[in-house]
Amino acid sequence: MIGRLRGILISKQPPWLLVEVGGVGYELEAPMSTMYDLPATGKEVTLLTHYAVKEDTVALYGFLHESERALFRNLQKVSGIGAKIALSVLSGVSTSDFARLVQTGDVVALTKIPGIGKKTAERMVVELRDRVDGLAVSLPGVSSKTNGAPLDPAGEATVALQQLGYKPVEVTRLVQKVAVEGDSAESIIRKALRAALGN
């Protein structure tokens, strides 16, 4: 099992990262909460990881903070939630905000996260209420391209939001609403996710 990686960040194209460790490139999926705080490509990064083996796939997920990894694992213990939805949750809301939503039973806010319906949100509140107490505090733990063409920040944000499960029409509306000249892709994504959740 792989629990932690330290190496050079080769590329980051949400939700994918490529980290080179001792000459081997590890491809990881990471939530936007991790993407926001990554160093520039070419710099060293240390990631906590979750290694998942299923019938036909093997996947590696990366996190900067233990609270993110713990929430990712706890979310998947809820019936109907897999890795994709767990990443959407972490990308759409901070671990401390998620803990608050669960503790207050805010089902309406939880259903604004892609992939979370009313019944799943209700299950999350019931099953995770006792597990999110420690999540209020977060403990530390090359240009993106598509088809060879560099994307502008709004284009990168659009691709990332679609990969997080938002519909193309909704993504276009969100990006147009929040993007300002000079914004980075990460900034646009962060603002779009807040707008989608009504924050």
Side-chain angles (χ1 to χ4, degrees):
M1 188 156 163
I2 302 169
R4 182 174 166 268
L5 289 176
R6 185 176 69 203
I8 303 301
L9 181 60
I10 302 299
S11 68
K12 49 182 176 178
Q13 184 172 357
W16 297 100
L17 301 174
L18 184 63
V19 178
E20 184 176 312
V21 181
V24 177
Y26 289 88
E27 191 174 61
L28 305 97
E29 272 191 88
M32 289 311 302
S33 54
T34 288
M35 291 285 183
Y36 295 143
D37 297 328
L38 286 172
T41 54
K43 301 285 186 186
E44 186 175 271
V45 66
T46 300
L47 293 168
L48 300 167
T49 61
H50 176 80
Y51 183 71
V53 179
K54 294 195 176 170
E55 294 171 9
D56 56 349
T57 60
V58 174
L60 192 58
Y61 301 92
F63 310 92
L64 282 174
H65 306 285
E66 179 56 42
S67 59
E68 294 171 331
R69 181 170 67 174
L71 180 55
F72 179 79
R73 289 173 170 171
N74 280 326
L75 281 164
Q76 291 182 78
K77 293 176 184 173
V78 176
S79 174
I81 295 184
K84 185 171 183 173
I85 293 176
L87 285 177
S88 287
V89 169
L90 283 164
S91 294
V93 65
S94 71
T95 54
S96 56
D97 284 345
F98 178 80
R100 182 183 50 76
L101 293 175
V102 168
Q103 288 167 341
T104 60
D106 194 342
V107 171
V108 173
L110 290 169
T111 59
K112 293 180 180 179
I113 299 169
I116 305 290
K118 186 177 179 193
K119 289 187 178 186
T120 302
E122 289 169 348
R123 276 197 307 270
M124 287 165 67
V125 168
V126 171
E127 296 182 34
L128 295 177
R129 188 168 269 153
D130 296 334
R131 296 183 192 166
V132 296
D133 291 337
L135 295 179
V137 177
S138 182
L139 301 173
V142 174
S143 304
S144 300
K145 297 187 176 187
T146 300
N147 297 330
L151 291 174
D152 65 334
E156 281 187 49
T158 299
V159 170
L161 289 164
Q162 287 177 1
Q163 290 177 342
L164 291 171
Y166 288 93
K167 293 180 175 71
V169 173
E170 187 178 10
V171 169
T172 302
R173 180 184 60 79
L174 287 169
V175 170
Q176 287 175 348
K177 178 179 174 183
V178 304
V180 177
E181 185 71 31
D183 274 352
S184 66
E186 288 83 3
S187 174
I188 295 169
I189 294 164
R190 187 179 302 215
K191 291 193 290 187
L193 290 170
R194 283 190 187 133
L197 292 171
N199 292 335

